[in-house]
RNA sequence: UCCCGGAUAGCUCAAUCGGUAGAGCGAGCGGCUGUUAACCGCUAGGUUCUAGGUUCGAGUCCUAGUCCGGGAGCCA
């Protein structure tokens, strides 16, 4: 008898007929033959495919146990691997013993053998990873995460860390920070002093959750060379769309001695590497997405790999839109933000591939982006991909102290608040650049999934932080 | 936050003009079968999102609210 548990993935790939093996997992479905045996489809999450278990009625305890083998139940099986006469699998496991570890009442278990809407599955986020789709998403998300680390580690980047949030009050180990978007300043108007004295707060000043690790990334990038952050990021915007989360994961590399062209080249190589890794390491899951979620996703990804991302300046983009010969819901004019309809036209219809729009008007972008000599634009870049839209935003950073201070003035920021950011320019300033990649948007591109709430295990959106 | 649309069985949905609440899937039971989205038969399963209102009568019409989806803005 095999004492060590094998994964279903390894058995389906390498399992030899005649070998004794031990598996455990969750029942997807059971089919009985009254001629004296039952078929069980077992899944352990190691791969998309199930292992077919054949249980003979002569197996010890069969009569009593087989009734408890229902969809969702957990099982441990010991038996012998054999070639399968069926056409849908190479091998199957003939059980010599099987134990029901945990039952799943079929009258109550929410997951049925047939498909469920993603909206329904969001309500049972604790069970949805037991479905084909969410198991595949979990594996691809893991693959992408590893691919990201490998990409930067192979290039000598240092990984810098970032924080975490929870609404659960059952972690047990003491007082927790309250996070709120309630207007405390206004609530304070009903108090005698009519002010919130953050001096008495934990940090002695008003504190928030991070919306980006970029500025801190610059600190290390101008000390130890290229770095990247990869962690959760929080935005309290009241955004209710299939592309926004209040808590999402972002990758932010920051590179000294990089200009915008270097930045764009790295971003393109980065995205293509992630796609390549997902296709080669999660082939079975990717085939599933192409078959069941979006029949164009593999062709789209292959097309992306085979073409260079088109560089288009903001000014060129505006010209293209103005000469497109069609009406826009939002008028196109230099100096205005590109609207979603404009971005979609450019990447989905005009170029039909990912594009990098660069050198935006300075009035549209934050203070830290490097100003061009034309006095009108900054060295910003957005990577736009079909269907998903903006997947990367980045820029070359302004390394000239005087220009930076001027820009802070234009943006009504107090340079004293950013004294340390200024110091990076006062002492040994260097040209540098970086960008941010939204992990979940990358997953939308890879999987063909429509809603960003379905590519993160536990989505946080306005009015929703369950599980 | 704004503009649309929606909420009916465990799930996905139907219900004509305001007139007895239906189907498929799932579940239970039985049959059949080296099966594999199995198949065939029978049975059970409903506070029609909530609170008001109109009406002889409301799933259906009106008002308010809650939640969900799509689009927009913000962005990654």
């Amino acid at each position: 008898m095999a004492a060590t548990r094998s994964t279903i993935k390894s058995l389906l790939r390498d399992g030899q007929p005649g070998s004794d093996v031990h598996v455990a997992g969750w029942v997807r479905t059971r089919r009985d033959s009254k001629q004296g045996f039952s078929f069980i489809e077992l899944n352990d999450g190691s791969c998309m495919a199930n292992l077919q278990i054949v249980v003979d009625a002569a197996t010890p305890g069969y009569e009593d146990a087989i009734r408890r083998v229902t969809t969702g139940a957990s099982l441990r099986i010991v038996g012998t691997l054999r070639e399968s006469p069926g056409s849908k699998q190479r091998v199957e496991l003939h059980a010599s013993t099987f134990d029901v570890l945990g039952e799943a009442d079929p009258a109550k278990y929410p997951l049925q053998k047939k498909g469920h809407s993603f909206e329904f599955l969001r309500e049972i986020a604790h069970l949805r990873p037991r479905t084909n789709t969410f198991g595949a998403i979990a594996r691809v998300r893991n693959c992408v995460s590893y691919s990201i680390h490998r990409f930067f580690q192979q290039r000598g980047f240092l990984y810098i860390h970032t924080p975490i949030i929870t609404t659960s009050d059952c972690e047990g180990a003491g007082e927790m920070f309250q996070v709120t978007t309630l207007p405390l300043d206004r609530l304070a108007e009903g108090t005698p002093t009519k002010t919130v004295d953050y001096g008495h707060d934990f940090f002695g000043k008003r504190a928030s959750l991070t919306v980006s690790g970029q500025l801190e990334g610059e600190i290390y990038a101008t000390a130890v060379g290229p770095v990247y952050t990869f962690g959760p990021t929080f935005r309290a915007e009241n955004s209710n769309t299939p592309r926004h989360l209040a808590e999402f994961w972002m990758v932010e590399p920051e590179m000294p001695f990089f200009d915008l062209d270097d930045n764009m080249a790295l971003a393109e190589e980065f995205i293509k590497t992630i796609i390549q890794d997902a296709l080669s390491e999660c082939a079975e899951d990717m085939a599933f997405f192409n078959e069941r979620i979006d029949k164009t996703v593999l062709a789209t990804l292959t097309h992306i790999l085979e073409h260079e991302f088109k560089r288009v300046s903001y000014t060129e983009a505006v010209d293209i839109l103005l000469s497109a010969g069609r009406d826009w819901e939002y008028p196109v004019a230099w100096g205005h933000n590109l609207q979603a309809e404009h971005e979609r036209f450019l990447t989905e219809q005009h170029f039909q591939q990912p594009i990098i729009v660069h050198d935006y008007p300075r009035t549209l972008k934050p203070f830290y982006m490097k100003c061009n000599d034309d006095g009108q634009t900054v060295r910003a870049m957005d990577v736009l991909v079909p269907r998903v839209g903006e997947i990367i935003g980045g820029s070359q950073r302004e390394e000239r102290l005087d220009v930076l201070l001027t820009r802070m003035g234009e943006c009504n920021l107090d340079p004293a608040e950013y004294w340390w950011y200024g110091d990076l320019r006062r002492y040994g300033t260097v040209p540098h650049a970086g960008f941010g990649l939204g992990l979940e948007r990358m997953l939308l591109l890879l999987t063909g999934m429509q809603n960003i709430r379905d590519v993160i295990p536990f989505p946080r959106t306005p009015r929703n932080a369950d599980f």
Side-chain angles (χ1 to χ4, degrees):
Chain A
M1 181 172 100
T4 306
R5 184 174 71 90
S6 301
T7 63
I8 288 172
K9 178 182 183 179
S10 68
L11 292 181
L12 290 176
R13 188 183 54 203
D14 303 321
Q16 291 305 308
S19 59
D20 292 332
V21 299
H22 161 196
V23 299
W26 294 267
V27 175
R28 285 295 172 77
T29 182
R30 183 189 101 212
R31 295 177 295 273
D32 293 331
S33 167
K34 287 296 162 55
Q35 299 303 96
F37 44 89
S38 297
F39 298 100
I40 300 168
E41 296 271 349
L42 198 72
N43 188 285
D44 67 358
S46 61
C47 61
M48 168 72 57
N50 303 320
L51 179 65
Q52 177 162 281
I53 314 289
V54 182
V55 186
D56 193 275
T59 305
Y62 174 87
E63 286 290 335
D64 176 59
I66 199 69
R67 289 182 297 102
R68 302 156 65 206
V69 178
T70 58
T71 300
S74 49
L75 297 185
R76 184 190 304 280
I77 311 274
V78 175
T80 304
L81 218 54
R82 294 189 189 161
E83 282 185 30
S84 175
S87 61
K88 303 210 171 180
Q89 58 276 320
R90 183 179 64 88
V91 291
E92 61 190 22
L93 177 58
H94 287 246
S96 54
T97 68
F98 75 108
D99 299 316
V100 179
L101 302 177
E103 299 180 25
D105 184 346
K108 295 177 181 171
Y109 187 60
L111 292 175
Q112 304 165 355
K113 290 182 202 171
K114 285 227 168 173
H116 298 83
S117 69
F118 293 132
E119 290 84 354
F120 171 67
L121 291 172
R122 262 171 237 152
E123 297 172 1
I124 50 169
H126 60 307
L127 296 174
R128 68 179 183 169
R130 300 186 185 192
T131 64
N132 287 336
T133 300
F134 287 88
I137 289 167
R139 286 184 295 271
V140 172
R141 188 178 169 110
N142 171 73
C143 171
V144 170
S145 299
Y146 187 51
S147 176
I148 286 166
H149 282 297
R150 185 170 49 211
F151 179 86
F152 289 119
Q153 294 294 326
Q154 286 177 343
R155 286 163 178 75
F157 285 57
L158 296 192
Y159 175 36
I160 312 281
H161 294 104
T162 48
I164 287 177
I165 190 176
T166 180
T167 61
S168 170
D169 61 358
C170 54
E171 297 195 343
E175 294 298 313
M176 303 180 75
F177 291 109
Q178 183 178 4
V179 178
T180 181
T181 58
L182 290 176
L184 294 182
D185 294 325
R186 244 184 293 156
L187 294 176
E189 289 170 8
T191 69
T193 61
K194 299 191 186 308
T195 59
V196 178
D197 184 357
Y198 290 103
H200 290 109
D201 204 346
F202 189 87
F203 294 110
K205 60 175 69 171
R206 183 173 174 171
S208 311
L209 295 172
T210 182
V211 295
S212 167
Q214 178 200 317
L215 302 189
E216 291 86 350
E218 290 185 48
I219 292 174
Y220 272 78
T222 55
V224 298
V227 299
Y228 67 106
T229 69
F230 183 9
T233 300
F234 308 95
R235 303 276 169 91
E237 305 291 337
N238 191 8
S239 298
N240 295 286
T241 83
R243 292 176 300 282
H244 290 86
L245 292 164
E247 176 182 321
F248 63 97
W249 285 64
M250 186 157 65
V251 184
E252 294 178 285
E254 191 71 32
M255 295 75 65
F257 318 114
F258 261 49
D259 64 15
L260 190 68
D261 289 335
D262 300 325
N263 206 24
M264 290 191 284
L266 186 75
E268 177 172 357
E269 190 181 4
F270 182 46
I271 288 178
K272 287 182 171 175
T273 299
I274 293 171
I275 292 173
Q276 189 64 64
D277 286 349
L279 290 175
S280 61
E281 292 169 29
C282 296
E284 185 186 26
D285 293 317
M286 295 302 294
F288 172 84
F289 289 122
N290 197 63
E291 174 67 24
R292 302 296 282 268
I293 302 297
D294 177 355
K295 292 191 183 305
T296 68
V297 73
L298 287 182
T300 297
L301 295 174
T302 302
H303 185 263
I304 288 174
L305 288 178
E306 290 171 348
H307 293 79
E308 193 171 352
F309 290 12
K310 182 74 178 173
R311 271 72 163 169
V312 188
S313 76
Y314 169 88
T315 301
E316 291 168 342
V318 168
D319 289 342
I320 290 169
L321 294 167
L322 286 174
S323 57
R326 53 169 283 183
D327 292 330
W328 304 102
E329 187 177 347
Y330 293 87
V332 176
W334 200 97
H336 289 68
N337 263 316
L338 296 181
Q339 303 294 316
E341 59 170 338
H342 306 145
E343 295 183 347
R344 292 179 68 105
F345 173 81
L346 289 170
T347 187
E348 293 175 3
Q349 292 181 44
H350 189 80
F351 291 107
Q352 299 187 1
Q353 65 174 82
I355 63 173
I356 308 180
V357 181
H358 58 87
D359 291 298
Y360 282 75
R362 65 195 280 171
T363 53
L364 299 180
K365 292 296 184 180
F367 73 97
Y368 53 75
M369 294 187 175
K370 182 181 175 75
C371 292
N372 281 311
D373 293 339
D374 62 11
Q376 301 292 311
T377 58
V378 291
R379 304 240 75 190
M381 66 172 209
D382 284 354
V383 179
L384 309 178
V385 298
R387 193 172 65 82
V388 178
E390 182 177 350
I391 199 168
I392 278 179
S395 69
Q396 184 172 343
R397 320 306 188 189
E398 182 55 75
E399 82 276 20
R400 297 164 296 186
L401 181 62
D402 55 334
V403 179
L404 183 71
L405 293 174
T406 300
R407 286 288 289 140
M408 292 176 76
E410 289 175 11
C411 297
N412 290 316
L413 296 172
D414 180 4
E417 296 277 322
Y418 295 87
W419 62 274
W420 53 269
Y421 194 69
D423 271 4
L424 301 181
R425 280 75 181 163
R426 271 179 205 100
Y427 311 121
T429 191
V430 297
H432 60 292
F435 60 81
L437 169 88
L439 178 69
E440 287 77 18
R441 289 190 178 171
M442 187 69 216
L443 285 164
L444 290 178
L445 177 67
L446 285 169
T447 62
M449 294 292 288
Q450 299 284 319
N451 195 309
I452 201 165
R453 298 167 194 199
D454 298 325
V455 295
I456 188 169
F458 306 104
R460 272 82 177 96
T461 54
R463 299 177 301 280
N464 179 20
D466 291 337
F467 303 99

